[in-house]
Amino acid sequence: MILHMTDCKGSVAHRKKYITLLNRAYDEMFENMDEYKHEDNFKRCLRKLRLSNVIDAVNRAKIIMQRNAENGYTQHQYKGYRYYKENPALAIWEIIEKILRDCGLI
């Protein structure tokens, strides 16, 4: 969700710390991840997204994955998705990029 709106250049000490990045990216004031994940709040953030944000997220994820590989970080796999722990980025961008390309959107 963060990559849709802004760059994310590193991991955080604990996943609950992502709330600061989410708040900044979506101009929100959630107190914690549980509040953000409440259906109404999450949907409000989703409504802020445009197709251009999805394309930006794909591009940002590609760059993160490339930099992580160049830095020699170990790539992990979980349930068919590849990722790096050092700067989290899932390879799910590959699927989204294919969908966008197949639809003629990129």
Side-chain angles (χ1 to χ4, degrees), residues 3-15:
L3 292 180
H4 288 86
M5 301 299 253
T6 189
D7 291 328
C8 185
K9 298 183 181 192
S11 60
V12 294
H14 190 276
R15 65 179 165 252

Side-chain angles (χ1 to χ4, degrees), residues 32-80:
N32 54 52
M33 290 300 289
D34 288 334
E35 183 181 358
Y36 158 74
K37 290 180 181 180
H38 186 275
E39 184 177 358
D40 293 338
N41 293 334
F42 182 71
K43 285 182 177 180
R44 184 173 66 248
C45 289
L46 288 178
R47 284 191 297 272
K48 294 179 182 184
L49 296 177
R50 303 291 176 255
L51 179 58
S52 62
N53 300 120
V54 175
I55 294 167
D56 290 344
V58 166
N59 292 329
R60 287 178 175 124
K62 285 168 67 170
I63 290 168
I64 289 171
M65 295 291 272
Q66 181 181 1
R67 282 189 196 141
N68 287 346
E70 290 169 358
N71 288 330
Y73 297 146
T74 301
Q75 191 175 77
H76 302 275
Q77 189 160 345
Y78 178 74
K79 295 190 177 186

